[in-house]
Amino acid sequence: MPHYKIACIPGDGIGKEVVPAGQQALEALAASQDGLSFSFQSFGWGGDWYRAHGEMMPADGLDALRGADAILFGSAGDPQIPDHVTLWGLRLKICQGFDQYANVRPTRILPGIDGPLKRCTPRDLDWVIVRENSEGEYAGVGGRAHQGHPIEVATDVSILTRAGVERIMRFAFRLAQSRPRKQLTVVTKSNAQRHGMVMWDEIALQISREFPDVRWDKELVDACTARMVNRPASLDTLVATNLHADVLSDLAAALAGSLGIAPTGNIDPERRYPSMFEPIHGSAFDIMGKGLANPVGTFWSCVMLLEHLGETAAAQRLMRAVEAVTADPRLHTGDLGGQATTAQVTEAVCRRLREPATAAA
Ligand code: IPM
Ligand code: MG
């Protein structure tokens, strides 16, 4: 009977509120489904750990996570610590250490949620953004010289490797192939960036030949923002570099109604390491500790976690419970214009999960 070890890293801010909510939902699922069980191990890494130990996570932290089947992550970010320290010290350390090179960001308008686009029905907006998650603009290559002098110089070099681009293209084409429309948009900027992005385009063409049943096109990243707003139904699966996809996925989340809903998975497709699932909202210090955070982004991330583990039925059951709850405006949190608390939304989802499987399905 499947038993899964889940490592939980709440991190900072509202991460400490939404990760326990996700854990509760997984527990409610297990309680109502024979043969499914989880054990959770929680790690108190992040800003507080940094203040106590001078680092965001222990040097041997990856070893502690290695045996987990999956990782549920909250957020990293602390007003007292520079953002690049919190990012590189925890989240990127795990993503890069475990070579989670595919970052998958689905976007849909869930029932009951109002998006800002006029004339856009939920059917018009159903995207998955595949973000290259191991190199590109986040490679960490660069440096500073002459610090503090007028001739000071700073560089961030975007690194694109043939191996890195081939593997993310193959992943994206395969994902597009698995979706009903079998359609992929390769986001690029090869008009301005005439080396790396030109190789990116060439490799896209090369990999496309392995997937003759996938329709694909190319779109410049700036034009892509306009297309997302003006012709959302013309997009399905997208693949983009680390930074391009970072920007596009915030736009996608906002167009679907709220950043508080959007989930993501940092995936090692080869399954050499555990993959990590997290809501894409940040630590949101303005509302932390008040019980106001929207747990839906974490629940949806748990759906992705379950899909990754092959627990399709449980994933569908959780997604349906989430959709039933978003459909009820009385259960909307502040980011959606409602007044519900994290605990109320979590309890509503768990209640549905505890109903006998047939009624909830
Ligand atoms: C994201 C976030 C992070 C990123 C931040 C928190 C550094 O915006 O996951 O999209 O830029 O990768
Ligand atoms: Mg982002």
Side-chain angles (χ1 to χ4, degrees), residues 91 105 131 138 242-243 245-250 259 280-281:
R91 198 170 146 269
R105 303 189 161 197
R131 172 179 181 181
Y138 284 56
N242 216 328
L243 183 62
D246 176 44
V247 176
L248 293 182
S249 59
D250 266 29
L259 227 63
I280 84 162
H281 62 66

Side-chain angles (χ1 to χ4, degrees), residues 298-361:
T298 302
F299 296 149
W300 196 348
S301 303
C302 289
V303 171
M304 297 182 73
L305 179 154
L306 291 163
E307 282 166 352
H308 182 75
L309 295 176
E311 294 296 335
T312 321
Q316 282 173 359
R317 221 148 59 79
L318 179 53
M319 197 66 218
R320 284 195 198 119
V322 169
E323 288 176 342
V325 165
T326 60
D328 181 352
R330 288 168 307 176
L331 291 168
H332 285 184
T333 44
D335 54 306
L336 298 171
Q339 292 185 330
T341 63
T342 314
Q344 285 166 339
V345 181
T346 305
E347 184 41 41
V349 167
C350 291
R351 201 179 316 122
R352 287 197 83 86
L353 292 174
R354 281 191 225 100
E355 287 167 9
T358 45

Side-chain angles (χ1 to χ4, degrees), residues 24 27 51 89 175 239 242 250 264 269 280 295 301 315 324 332:
Q24 269 174 262
E27 273 164 354
R51 272 180 285 277
L175 181 66
V239 61
N242 216 328
D250 266 29
T264 185
I280 84 162
S301 303
H332 285 184

Side-chain angles (χ1 to χ4, degrees), residues 12-13 16 46-48 51 56 76-83 86 283 285:
D12 303 319
K16 293 195 179 91
D48 295 337
R51 272 180 285 277
M56 292 289 288
D78 186 301
Q80 293 170 352
I81 309 170
D83 284 341
T86 53
S283 38
F285 269 81

Side-chain angles (χ1 to χ4, degrees), residues 180-228:
R181 292 170 69 194
K182 298 190 194 302
Q183 185 196 322
L184 178 69
T185 298
V186 174
V187 178
T188 185
K189 193 64 197 175
S190 49
N191 53 350
Q193 296 177 295
R194 57 193 180 147
H195 309 294
M197 293 313 295
V198 172
M199 182 180 80
W200 171 269
D201 291 0
E202 286 168 10
I203 292 174
L205 175 63
Q206 170 204 322
I207 300 296
S208 74
R209 299 196 179 110
E210 297 171 19
F211 299 88
D213 55 338
V214 175
R215 266 189 309 136
W216 73 289
D217 64 351
K218 259 188 321 188
E219 189 70 86
L220 295 172
V221 63
D222 46 351
C224 194
T225 60
R227 181 165 162 193
M228 285 165 76

